[in-house]
Amino acid sequence: MTFAKETKTTAAVSYKTAAARRAKRDKYFKIGSLILFFLLWEVLGRINDACQWVDPKFFPVPTGIIASAYTYLTDGTLFTHLGISVYRVVVGYAIDVVIAIVLGSLIASFKTMDNIFSPIINLFSPIPIMAFLPMFILWFGIGEQSKVILIAYTTIIYMLSYVTEGIKDTDPVLIRSAVSLGANPWQFFTRVKFQSAFPNIFLGMKGALGTAFGAMVVAEMMGASTGLGYIIVFSKNWFKMNDMMMAAIAIGLLYSLMFVILTVVESALFKWKKETTGGAVEK
């Protein structure tokens, strides 16, 4: 019995060690792939400068983009544009998460709420965000309010389905167990349905983050004088391709940073999922 237990423990340790090695190898591989991508981009740009396949003015290279970023950094405007874009995304995204969870919970829990809101959501969800931008500017002005509301609206529409489906798809076994144990309605929702749906809700939060950044760029392309989206529009008018690519890459880096933060939080909250999967694979 002791030998079997030690063997199982050794196998578990071996599995975790191998998984850690694979994760480390994959991380280095991804970093190397990204470095190779920029190197190839630089080489193709230099070849294009010599061969003139495309007007070099419209084919920016990484070194030129870095030079533009350095210019924005030294004149003090880079952090101003980054800061205002982050503020708009974070505020709009936070509003989205709160409203989507509350409204989605109501829709999933009460048939009347489902009948009221589902047709409205299905009507507006396919409409592109660009169609609403002029309306939001007319309704809320060209200040921060219209931009934050536009970001929140877009991400709420995206995230609602994850909340409602996650709550509706609660395991029937968990429902029967809670009822048999005498859980009251509040306990039944908070400790069974909501906790069961939380992994799916978090998945919707991660997806909504990309939608929030897309909405932020759209909002900053009209009626804004700061932000990364504004840099893209301003640079387009003056054919400053390096500045445009710098702003676009900065958006990608900001999104990646926030996505990593969400992933770390997700890993901490749902550590049991990895342990369960690891045990299944181990067997």
Side-chain angles (χ1 to χ4, degrees):
M1 183 69 70
T2 304
F3 176 75
K5 186 175 181 181
E6 289 178 354
T7 303
K8 187 174 181 180
T9 303
T10 303
V13 172
S14 300
Y15 170 79
K16 290 180 179 179
T17 302
R21 288 175 179 172
R22 285 196 300 271
K24 188 175 182 180
R25 184 182 65 241
D26 291 342
K27 181 177 69 174
Y28 289 141
F29 188 85
K30 291 174 182 177
I31 294 173
S33 176
L34 194 60
I35 293 173
L36 180 61
F37 168 76
F38 282 108
L39 286 175
L40 289 175
W41 183 0
E42 183 73 27
V43 170
L44 286 174
R46 298 300 179 183
I47 294 174
N48 181 69
D49 288 344
C51 299
Q52 298 288 314
W53 296 327
V54 180
D55 188 340
K57 182 170 59 177
F58 302 129
F59 197 133
V61 293
T63 50
I65 296 168
I66 293 172
S68 292
Y70 180 76
T71 301
Y72 274 85
L73 185 63
T74 52
D75 66 15
T77 58
L78 180 59
F79 288 114
T80 299
H81 292 292
L82 283 172
I84 194 65
S85 291
V86 170
Y87 165 78
R88 290 162 180 161
V89 168
V90 170
V91 174
Y93 182 73
I95 293 172
D96 147 60
V97 171
V98 173
I99 295 179
I101 289 177
V102 173
L103 183 58
S105 299
L106 292 173
I107 292 173
S109 302
F110 302 100
K111 190 63 179 176
T112 302
M113 299 294 289
D114 189 12
N115 293 335
I116 292 173
F117 286 102
S118 290
I120 300 172
I121 294 169
N122 292 333
L123 173 65
F124 283 95
S125 58
I127 302 176
I129 185 176
M130 286 297 295
F132 287 107
L133 183 58
M135 303 178 199
F136 274 62
I137 291 176
L138 290 173
W139 292 337
F140 305 109
I142 60 173
E144 295 305 307
Q145 186 179 14
S146 62
K147 298 173 182 58
V148 170
I149 292 175
L150 183 66
I151 294 169
Y153 163 78
T154 307
T155 47
I156 287 169
I157 293 294
Y158 178 91
M159 190 175 161
L160 270 176
S161 61
Y162 286 89
V163 179
T164 55
E165 292 303 319
I167 295 175
K168 288 180 179 180
D169 292 342
T170 303
D171 190 342
V173 175
L174 296 176
I175 295 175
R176 288 194 295 268
S177 299
V179 172
S180 64
L181 291 172
N184 60 46
W186 178 250
Q187 291 173 329
F188 178 67
F189 176 78
T190 57
R191 299 186 182 182
V192 179
K193 281 196 166 185
F194 187 77
Q195 289 191 20
S196 175
F198 201 52
N200 202 60
I201 293 172
F202 219 91
L203 185 63
M205 290 171 60
K206 292 171 73 175
L209 182 63
T211 307
F213 271 90
M216 177 268 292
V217 174
V218 171
E220 290 181 344
M221 282 183 172
M222 291 183 65
S225 57
T226 53
L228 297 172
Y230 165 76
I231 292 177
I232 293 175
V233 173
F234 178 81
S235 302
K236 180 202 69 168
N237 295 334
W238 296 96
F239 300 103
K240 295 182 177 181
M241 295 298 295
N242 286 329
D243 292 10
M244 290 177 64
M245 288 302 301
M246 178 209 68
I249 292 174
I251 291 169
L253 291 174
L254 283 176
Y255 166 78
S256 299
L257 176 61
M258 294 181 68
F259 188 87
V260 167
I261 293 172
L262 281 178
T263 302
V264 170
V265 173
E266 181 185 33
S267 299
L269 291 175
F270 308 124
K271 188 178 180 181
W272 55 268
K273 291 177 66 178
K274 288 187 177 182
E275 293 174 349
T276 303
T277 304
V281 174
E282 179 191 330
K283 292 178 182 179

